[in-house]
Amino acid sequence: QAPASVPPAALMRFGLPAGPQLRSRDSYLLAYEPRTRNAAWVLEQLEAGRLGLGRSERALCRFREDESLHQYHRARNSDFRGSGLDRGHLAAAANHSHSQRSLDDTFYLSNVVPQNPNLNKNVWNNLEKYCRSLTKSNKNVYICTGPLYLPRMEPDGKMYVKYQVIGENNVAVPTHIFKVVILEKHSGEIELQSYVMPNQPVMEKTPLERFLVPIESIERASGLLFVSNILKRTNKLTAITAGDK
């Protein structure tokens, strides 16, 4: 007779070594990836009414480590010092200026990635502004943002995933950053716009359409799923890719 299987409760007697690390902030939701010291994704909802309130002072905000994370697995301000990289917001600060608490929450280091300063201040900033402008003509605007670590062919003809790390805590520097924009139209239709930008200098006036990619490419590279989740709720889905806009 075969031995009895081990019940899950027995296996978990001393706990699980890891589990989903979700953080719910005042106006965004974050999933953290301890191995990279970065978020895997950040989800936010933009509303025109809240964007126009402006009841906060950015000058009062300071980047700070996320003490809800284990000390082994979190980034610190010292990791960025001297790196030449910005602390680039995933949930943009300007998206959450309707209250001081919401704005402060965007300055947790769990909500930033090491980002090329040229990209952060120019084309990425343009994309954030564009996302805010979409609230004027849509019922709801949902945004999911996160880092990517994409493979590249090396001189030996093989594909490798390589990325820089910074600071004592080896904070990963993503090769690319994605932003998936889900637009709920007043008609009930859903429109999907998906962008990927390289984490390197980009010409300031580069059209945003240049960074539109098929949503499938982000799903495959990130391990996340968007389309199947949307289709569980509606079949009125249009995905916008380069050339459609």
Side-chain angles (χ1 to χ4, degrees), residues 25 29 44 54 72 85 106 126 131 138-139 158 163-164:
R25 304 301 186 199
L29 185 67
E44 48 188 330
Y72 292 171
L85 297 168
T106 68
N126 293 343
C131 290
N138 293 278
K139 181 180 178 181
K158 297 178 181 178
Y163 52 86
Q164 179 188 358

Side-chain angles (χ1 to χ4, degrees), residues 13-42:
R13 180 183 175 193
F14 297 107
L16 296 173
Q21 298 213 22
L22 293 176
R23 296 295 184 273
S24 179
R25 304 301 186 199
D26 200 50
S27 57
Y28 68 85
L29 185 67
L30 174 150
Y32 194 71
E33 172 50 66
R35 184 175 58 86
T36 61
R37 300 356 174 208
N38 288 323
W41 52 262
V42 174

Side-chain angles (χ1 to χ4, degrees), residues 58-76:
R58 183 162 180 154
L60 300 177
C61 299
R62 297 289 183 271
F63 285 106
R64 62 196 188 279
E65 62 187 85
D66 188 342
E67 294 185 352
S68 73
L69 302 168
H70 193 281
Q71 61 177 339
Y72 292 171
H73 300 151
R74 62 188 188 229
R76 294 173 171 81

Side-chain angles (χ1 to χ4, degrees), residues 124-193:
W124 187 257
N125 186 44
N126 293 343
L127 179 57
E128 292 175 337
K129 290 178 180 177
Y130 169 68
C131 290
R132 288 191 286 275
S133 75
L134 293 171
T135 61
K136 299 174 183 177
S137 55
N138 293 278
K139 181 180 178 181
N140 281 303
V141 177
Y142 300 90
I143 301 175
C144 187
T145 309
L148 292 174
Y149 309 89
L150 299 185
R152 186 175 63 180
M153 184 173 289
E154 295 291 323
D156 63 3
K158 297 178 181 178
M159 300 290 286
Y160 295 87
V161 175
K162 289 186 177 180
Y163 52 86
Q164 179 188 358
V165 295
I166 59 172
E168 289 185 4
N169 294 291
N170 293 325
V171 181
V173 180
T175 63
H176 296 72
I177 308 171
F178 74 84
K179 192 177 288 290
V180 175
V181 184
I182 303 170
L183 304 176
E184 183 181 3
K185 305 289 186 177
H186 291 285
S187 63
E189 295 180 347
I190 304 297
E191 181 180 301
L192 201 60
Q193 298 180 20

Side-chain angles (χ1 to χ4, degrees), residues 6 8 68 203:
V6 180
S68 73
M203 293 285 290

